Each structure stands twice: as structure tokens, then as C-alpha cells.
Amino acid sequence: MKKDETLKSLENAEIELTRLVETAKSLIDGIDPEDRVLPTSSRETKFGYWFYTDGQKLKILSNNPLECMSNIEELHNKLHERYREIFDLYFSEEKKSGFLSKIFKQKQKVLSESELQLVNEKYAEMEKTVEELLAEIARLQRRLVAVSEEKINALV
């Protein structure tokens, strides 16, 4: 594990997580971007993959409390859960299960007032969660900067 690569992974996480929130906002604004992020599990994202592989090695650093890693995991899962809830409201499968409906791209449905209110609540939760998650990641970054490169490179 290399210190500079680890810090770069955390920088990339910030971009990826912010993009997820922006994609949710696009859906709410009625924009259906071609590259919309599909509602994958948090483990299937680049950050999730890194977190559950190399990221777990950071648990043994003396200046990194265990709750830091568990907070990151919990917040990351919560963020993806809220995104999936928003996505599902806009793109829930209707009872159409014919051959042609599976070929063509799903269209974003128009939501009722109550659904819009629910989406806005979920989005507000997403914004709060991503702020908390990015703050937790920033704390982890500061801890990593404070540790010698040799200690991080020695993590197996």
C-alpha cells in the first residue's frame, strides 16, 4: 500500500460521491443524463471496492480510530441507499414485462406531488449524508498525511 495512491483514492472518492449526489439532482430536475449512475450497491463503486479491499488495511493505523472506518462504511451505504430510493421512484418497473419493454431504455416517469415531496426529502438526506461522509473522509486524509510513508507502505 502506498501513501500517495491511498490519498489519491480518497480524493477520487470525493469526486465519485459528489457525482452521485449531482446525478440524483439531475433526476429530480427532470434531466435524464446518458451517463446516469445506476443504482449499484456501495461495494460495486470504485470507492466501495477500494474501501473493502485496501481501505480496510487502514484500520490498524494507530492514529485512525476504528469508528472512523465504521462511520465511513455506514454513511457510504446510507448514501447509496438514498440514491437507490430516488432512482426507484423515477424508474420503477411497471407491470409491463413484455419483450419490447426490456429492449428499450426505461423512461423517467412523472411523479405525483407526494412522490416529489418524498424525493426531495430523500435528496435532502443525501446532501446531509454526503457532507458527513466527506467530512469523515477528510479526517481520514488528515490522519494519513500525519503518518509516515513507511508506516503506510508497510501495511499488508
Side-chain angles (χ1 to χ4, degrees), residues 3-152:
K3 184 175 182 174
D4 60 336
E5 290 174 2
T6 302
L7 290 169
K8 185 68 176 167
S9 293
L10 292 172
E11 288 174 24
N12 289 336
E14 292 175 289
I15 295 166
E16 183 180 15
L17 297 168
T18 301
R19 184 170 175 257
L20 183 68
V21 176
E22 289 170 354
T23 301
K25 181 65 172 152
S26 294
L27 293 174
I28 293 168
D29 290 342
I31 301 167
D32 185 15
E34 288 294 319
D35 64 339
R36 72 174 175 239
V37 179
L38 298 176
T40 59
S41 84
S42 59
R43 291 177 182 256
E44 293 171 343
T45 63
K46 287 179 188 175
F47 173 68
Y49 177 79
W50 173 85
F51 183 79
Y52 288 107
T53 56
D54 286 340
Q56 294 303 298
K57 297 173 187 174
L58 301 176
K59 287 181 175 181
I60 64 173
L61 286 176
S62 59
N63 73 336
N64 188 28
L66 287 177
E67 65 265 9
C68 171
M69 300 302 279
S70 61
N71 288 345
I72 288 173
E73 180 177 29
E74 181 182 318
L75 291 166
H76 187 227
N77 287 332
K78 183 178 178 182
L79 181 67
H80 279 275
E81 190 177 301
R82 294 301 161 268
Y83 177 79
R84 277 191 304 275
E85 291 168 350
I86 291 170
F87 185 92
D88 287 346
L89 281 167
Y90 280 107
F91 296 101
S92 61
E93 283 293 323
E94 293 181 13
K95 296 188 181 191
K96 298 177 187 176
S97 59
F99 176 73
L100 291 177
S101 67
K102 293 178 182 177
I103 294 175
F104 297 107
K105 182 179 170 185
Q106 288 178 297
K107 293 196 181 206
Q108 186 171 335
K109 74 177 193 176
V110 177
L111 301 182
S112 68
E113 282 298 316
S114 62
E115 290 171 320
L116 279 173
Q117 183 178 350
L118 182 59
V119 161
N120 287 323
E121 290 169 9
K122 299 291 181 191
Y123 181 72
E125 288 178 38
M126 260 187 104
E127 285 184 310
K128 182 179 181 225
T129 301
V130 80
E131 284 177 24
E132 292 172 10
L133 179 54
L134 293 176
E136 203 64 54
I137 289 172
R139 283 189 280 281
L140 177 57
Q141 286 172 312
R142 287 191 299 276
R143 290 182 188 116
L144 291 175
V145 169
V147 172
S148 73
E149 188 158 349
E150 291 78 27
K151 281 188 179 182
I152 294 176

